[in-house]
Amino acid sequence: MLFRSLIGTAQIVFFLMGAMTIVEVIDTHGGFEVITSRIRARYLGTLVWVVCWGSFFLSAVLDNLTTTIVMVSLLRKLLPDRDQRLMCVAMVVIAANAGGAWSPIGDVTTTMLWIGGQISAGHVMQQVFLPSILSVVVPLIVVSFQLRGSLEGILPSSTPVTPMQAKEQRIIFSSGLSILVLIPVFKTITQLPPYMGMLLGLGLIWVITEILHHRRNTEQRNQYSV
Protein backbone atom coordinates (compact mmCIF):
# COMPACT_ATOMS: atom_id res chain seq x y z
CA MET A 1 0.00 0.00 0.00
CA LEU A 2 2.81 2.41 0.96
CA PHE A 3 4.73 1.41 -2.18
CA ARG A 4 1.77 2.22 -4.44
CA SER A 5 1.18 5.53 -2.66
CA LEU A 6 4.81 6.53 -3.14
CA ILE A 7 4.65 5.61 -6.83
CA GLY A 8 1.51 7.71 -7.32
CA THR A 9 3.00 10.69 -5.51
CA ALA A 10 6.27 10.42 -7.42
CA GLN A 11 4.44 10.40 -10.77
CA ILE A 12 2.64 13.63 -9.88
CA VAL A 13 5.85 15.30 -8.63
CA PHE A 14 7.83 14.37 -11.75
CA PHE A 15 4.96 15.51 -13.99
CA LEU A 16 4.64 18.89 -12.26
CA MET A 17 8.41 19.44 -12.12
CA GLY A 18 8.66 18.81 -15.86
CA ALA A 19 5.71 21.06 -16.66
CA MET A 20 6.95 23.93 -14.46
CA THR A 21 10.45 23.67 -15.96
CA ILE A 22 9.08 23.92 -19.51
CA VAL A 23 7.01 26.96 -18.51
CA GLU A 24 10.06 28.54 -16.86
CA VAL A 25 12.15 27.98 -20.01
CA ILE A 26 9.46 29.70 -22.08
CA ASP A 27 9.36 32.60 -19.64
CA THR A 28 13.18 32.91 -19.51
CA HIS A 29 13.26 33.25 -23.29
CA GLY A 30 10.49 35.87 -23.19
CA GLY A 31 8.19 33.51 -25.06
CA PHE A 32 5.00 34.95 -23.60
CA GLU A 33 5.74 38.22 -25.40
CA VAL A 34 4.54 36.37 -28.50
CA ILE A 35 1.02 36.68 -27.06
CA THR A 36 1.10 39.89 -25.06
CA SER A 37 2.77 41.95 -27.80
CA ARG A 38 -0.13 41.20 -30.15
CA ILE A 39 -2.88 42.59 -27.93
CA ARG A 40 -3.88 45.94 -29.42
CA ALA A 41 -7.32 46.62 -27.94
CA ARG A 42 -8.47 50.25 -28.08
CA TYR A 43 -11.35 50.09 -25.62
CA LEU A 44 -11.62 48.84 -22.05
CA GLY A 45 -14.54 46.54 -22.83
CA THR A 46 -12.66 44.94 -25.73
CA LEU A 47 -9.50 44.62 -23.69
CA VAL A 48 -11.11 42.68 -20.85
CA TRP A 49 -12.70 40.23 -23.32
CA VAL A 50 -9.44 39.67 -25.21
CA VAL A 51 -7.36 39.25 -22.05
CA CYS A 52 -9.88 36.93 -20.40
CA TRP A 53 -10.23 34.64 -23.40
CA GLY A 54 -6.46 34.59 -23.74
CA SER A 55 -6.24 33.60 -20.07
CA PHE A 56 -8.96 30.98 -20.52
CA PHE A 57 -7.22 29.07 -23.31
CA LEU A 58 -3.66 29.69 -22.13
CA SER A 59 -4.39 28.30 -18.67
CA ALA A 60 -5.69 25.09 -20.26
CA VAL A 61 -2.07 24.37 -21.23
CA LEU A 62 -0.09 26.26 -18.58
CA ASP A 63 -0.79 26.39 -14.87
CA ASN A 64 -3.25 28.98 -13.57
CA LEU A 65 -0.64 30.97 -11.63
CA THR A 66 1.68 31.42 -14.61
CA THR A 67 -1.19 32.50 -16.85
CA THR A 68 -2.38 34.99 -14.25
CA ILE A 69 1.11 36.45 -13.80
CA VAL A 70 1.57 36.91 -17.57
CA MET A 71 -1.78 38.63 -18.03
CA VAL A 72 -1.47 40.79 -14.91
CA SER A 73 1.93 41.99 -16.14
CA LEU A 74 0.27 43.03 -19.38
CA LEU A 75 -2.55 44.83 -17.56
CA ARG A 76 -0.05 46.76 -15.44
CA LYS A 77 1.38 48.21 -18.65
CA LEU A 78 -2.01 48.97 -20.17
CA LEU A 79 -4.12 50.26 -17.29
CA PRO A 80 -2.74 53.03 -15.07
CA ASP A 81 -6.07 53.34 -13.26
CA ARG A 82 -5.94 51.09 -10.17
CA ASP A 83 -9.69 50.39 -9.92
CA GLN A 84 -9.98 49.41 -13.58
CA ARG A 85 -6.89 47.24 -13.29
CA LEU A 86 -8.17 45.42 -10.20
CA MET A 87 -11.47 44.65 -11.91
CA CYS A 88 -9.67 43.26 -14.95
CA VAL A 89 -7.29 41.25 -12.75
CA ALA A 90 -10.26 39.72 -10.92
CA MET A 91 -11.67 38.62 -14.28
CA VAL A 92 -8.30 37.19 -15.30
CA VAL A 93 -8.26 35.05 -12.13
CA ILE A 94 -11.76 33.75 -12.91
CA ALA A 95 -10.86 33.04 -16.54
CA ALA A 96 -7.59 31.31 -15.64
CA ASN A 97 -9.27 29.01 -13.12
CA ALA A 98 -12.14 28.24 -15.49
CA GLY A 99 -9.69 27.49 -18.31
CA GLY A 100 -7.63 25.17 -16.15
CA ALA A 101 -10.69 23.19 -15.06
CA TRP A 102 -11.61 21.70 -18.46
CA SER A 103 -8.10 20.52 -19.37
CA PRO A 104 -6.35 17.52 -17.79
CA ILE A 105 -3.09 19.50 -17.59
CA GLY A 106 -4.49 22.96 -16.78
CA ASP A 107 -4.90 22.60 -13.04
CA VAL A 108 -3.01 20.69 -10.34
CA THR A 109 -6.17 19.03 -9.01
CA THR A 110 -7.32 17.91 -12.47
CA THR A 111 -3.82 16.70 -13.26
CA MET A 112 -3.71 14.59 -10.09
CA LEU A 113 -7.08 13.01 -10.91
CA TRP A 114 -6.01 12.34 -14.51
CA ILE A 115 -2.68 10.77 -13.56
CA GLY A 116 -4.45 8.71 -10.88
CA GLY A 117 -6.89 7.35 -13.48
CA GLN A 118 -10.03 8.82 -11.85
CA ILE A 119 -10.84 10.85 -14.99
CA SER A 120 -9.99 10.62 -18.69
CA ALA A 121 -8.79 13.54 -20.81
CA GLY A 122 -11.58 13.26 -23.38
CA HIS A 123 -14.34 12.88 -20.82
CA VAL A 124 -13.34 15.84 -18.65
CA MET A 125 -12.99 18.10 -21.71
CA GLN A 126 -16.38 17.02 -23.00
CA GLN A 127 -18.19 17.43 -19.70
CA VAL A 128 -16.53 20.55 -18.26
CA PHE A 129 -15.77 22.72 -21.33
CA LEU A 130 -19.24 24.27 -21.66
CA PRO A 131 -19.69 24.98 -17.91
CA SER A 132 -16.22 26.56 -17.91
CA ILE A 133 -17.17 28.88 -20.77
CA LEU A 134 -20.39 29.89 -19.01
CA SER A 135 -18.51 30.65 -15.79
CA VAL A 136 -16.42 33.16 -17.75
CA VAL A 137 -19.07 34.63 -20.04
CA VAL A 138 -21.57 35.55 -17.31
CA PRO A 139 -19.21 37.72 -15.19
CA LEU A 140 -17.62 39.10 -18.39
CA ILE A 141 -20.96 40.45 -19.55
CA VAL A 142 -21.53 42.11 -16.17
CA VAL A 143 -18.03 43.62 -16.07
CA SER A 144 -18.28 44.86 -19.66
CA PHE A 145 -21.05 47.26 -18.66
CA GLN A 146 -18.88 48.67 -15.87
CA LEU A 147 -15.66 49.07 -17.86
CA ARG A 148 -16.10 51.80 -20.44
CA GLY A 149 -13.63 54.14 -22.04
CA SER A 150 -10.84 54.34 -24.59
CA LEU A 151 -7.25 53.14 -24.38
CA GLU A 152 -5.94 55.56 -26.99
CA GLY A 153 -2.39 56.61 -26.28
CA ILE A 154 -1.75 53.68 -23.91
CA LEU A 155 0.07 50.86 -25.67
CA PRO A 156 1.88 47.85 -24.21
CA SER A 157 5.55 48.61 -23.90
CA SER A 158 7.40 45.46 -24.91
CA THR A 159 11.11 45.13 -24.28
CA PRO A 160 13.02 45.72 -27.55
CA VAL A 161 14.42 42.49 -28.97
CA THR A 162 16.68 41.67 -31.88
CA PRO A 163 15.38 39.59 -34.84
CA MET A 164 17.37 36.62 -33.51
CA GLN A 165 15.81 36.94 -30.04
CA ALA A 166 12.33 37.24 -31.58
CA LYS A 167 12.97 34.05 -33.54
CA GLU A 168 14.09 32.25 -30.39
CA GLN A 169 10.97 33.45 -28.55
CA ARG A 170 8.71 32.03 -31.26
CA ILE A 171 10.58 28.72 -31.43
CA ILE A 172 10.60 28.13 -27.66
CA PHE A 173 7.00 29.30 -27.19
CA SER A 174 5.60 27.13 -30.00
CA SER A 175 7.73 24.11 -29.00
CA GLY A 176 6.86 24.35 -25.31
CA LEU A 177 3.14 24.79 -25.88
CA SER A 178 3.04 21.99 -28.48
CA ILE A 179 4.74 19.59 -26.08
CA LEU A 180 2.33 20.40 -23.24
CA VAL A 181 -0.71 20.04 -25.50
CA LEU A 182 0.48 16.69 -26.87
CA ILE A 183 0.98 15.03 -23.45
CA PRO A 184 -2.60 13.59 -23.36
CA VAL A 185 -2.09 12.35 -26.95
CA PHE A 186 1.16 10.67 -25.88
CA LYS A 187 -0.63 8.89 -23.03
CA THR A 188 -3.49 7.76 -25.29
CA ILE A 189 -1.21 6.38 -28.01
CA THR A 190 1.50 4.75 -25.88
CA GLN A 191 -0.53 3.92 -22.73
CA LEU A 192 2.51 5.08 -20.74
CA PRO A 193 2.19 7.24 -17.61
CA PRO A 194 1.84 10.99 -18.37
CA TYR A 195 5.01 11.88 -16.47
CA MET A 196 7.06 9.91 -19.01
CA GLY A 197 5.65 12.03 -21.82
CA MET A 198 6.36 15.18 -19.82
CA LEU A 199 9.97 14.18 -19.16
CA LEU A 200 10.39 13.25 -22.84
CA GLY A 201 9.07 16.70 -23.76
CA LEU A 202 11.44 18.29 -21.27
CA GLY A 203 14.31 16.46 -22.94
CA LEU A 204 13.22 17.77 -26.34
CA ILE A 205 13.10 21.34 -25.01
CA TRP A 206 16.58 20.81 -23.58
CA VAL A 207 17.89 19.72 -26.98
CA ILE A 208 16.23 22.70 -28.70
CA THR A 209 17.73 25.21 -26.27
CA GLU A 210 21.18 23.69 -26.62
CA ILE A 211 20.95 23.94 -30.41
CA LEU A 212 19.75 27.55 -30.25
CA HIS A 213 22.53 28.66 -27.90
CA HIS A 214 25.42 26.41 -28.89
CA ARG A 215 27.44 29.35 -30.27
CA ARG A 216 27.20 31.39 -27.07
CA ASN A 217 29.67 31.30 -24.21
CA THR A 218 29.21 28.96 -21.25
CA GLU A 219 27.68 31.60 -18.99
CA GLN A 220 25.03 32.55 -21.55
CA ARG A 221 24.23 28.90 -22.31
CA ASN A 222 23.77 28.14 -18.62
CA GLN A 223 21.35 31.08 -18.31
CA TYR A 224 18.97 29.56 -20.87
CA SER A 225 19.65 25.87 -20.35
CA VAL A 226 17.13 23.47 -18.82
Side-chain angles (χ1 to χ4, degrees), residues 3-201:
F3 181 69
R4 283 184 294 181
S5 298
L6 289 173
I7 289 177
T9 303
Q11 289 187 35
I12 295 170
V13 171
F14 281 121
F15 183 92
L16 294 177
M17 286 176 62
M20 289 188 292
T21 305
I22 291 175
V23 171
E24 184 64 25
V25 170
I26 296 174
D27 187 45
T28 302
H29 285 79
F32 296 117
E33 285 286 333
V34 174
I35 294 178
T36 58
S37 63
R38 284 168 171 73
I39 297 179
R40 289 290 186 268
R42 297 293 180 180
Y43 299 96
L44 276 171
T46 306
L47 175 68
V48 70
W49 278 83
V50 171
V51 170
C52 283
W53 285 119
S55 303
F56 181 82
F57 289 104
L58 194 60
S59 66
V61 182
L62 309 177
D63 62 280
N64 302 344
L65 182 58
T66 301
T67 302
T68 303
I69 290 172
V70 170
M71 291 305 178
V72 169
S73 299
L74 172 67
L75 290 172
R76 286 176 63 87
K77 300 174 185 177
L78 282 171
L79 298 177
D81 184 272
R82 182 176 181 274
D83 293 336
Q84 293 175 345
R85 188 167 63 246
L86 286 177
M87 190 172 294
C88 288
V89 167
M91 281 306 309
V92 165
V93 173
I94 293 174
N97 280 277
W102 64 270
S103 167
I105 60 174
D107 182 82
V108 174
T109 304
T110 315
T111 300
M112 291 172 63
L113 292 173
W114 178 53
I115 292 177
Q118 283 85 7
I119 60 175
S120 64
H123 186 72
V124 71
M125 293 173 69
Q126 180 183 359
Q127 296 294 321
V128 185
F129 183 69
L130 185 57
S132 295
I133 288 182
L134 289 176
S135 67
V136 177
V137 170
V138 173
L140 259 180
I141 293 174
V142 176
V143 170
S144 297
F145 287 105
Q146 302 180 35
L147 287 176
R148 296 184 180 275
S150 174
L151 292 172
E152 293 294 338
I154 307 175
L155 294 175
S157 54
S158 300
T159 304
V161 295
T162 64
M164 181 60 69
Q165 289 174 324
K167 181 180 179 181
E168 291 175 358
Q169 287 178 353
R170 292 192 297 270
I171 291 174
I172 295 298
F173 178 77
S174 58
S175 301
L177 244 62
S178 299
I179 288 170
L180 292 172
V181 169
L182 290 174
I183 297 301
V185 179
F186 172 88
K187 180 181 183 299
T188 301
I189 293 176
T190 65
Q191 296 301 311
L192 293 172
Y195 80 91
M196 296 187 68
M198 186 62 74
L199 294 180
L200 174 62

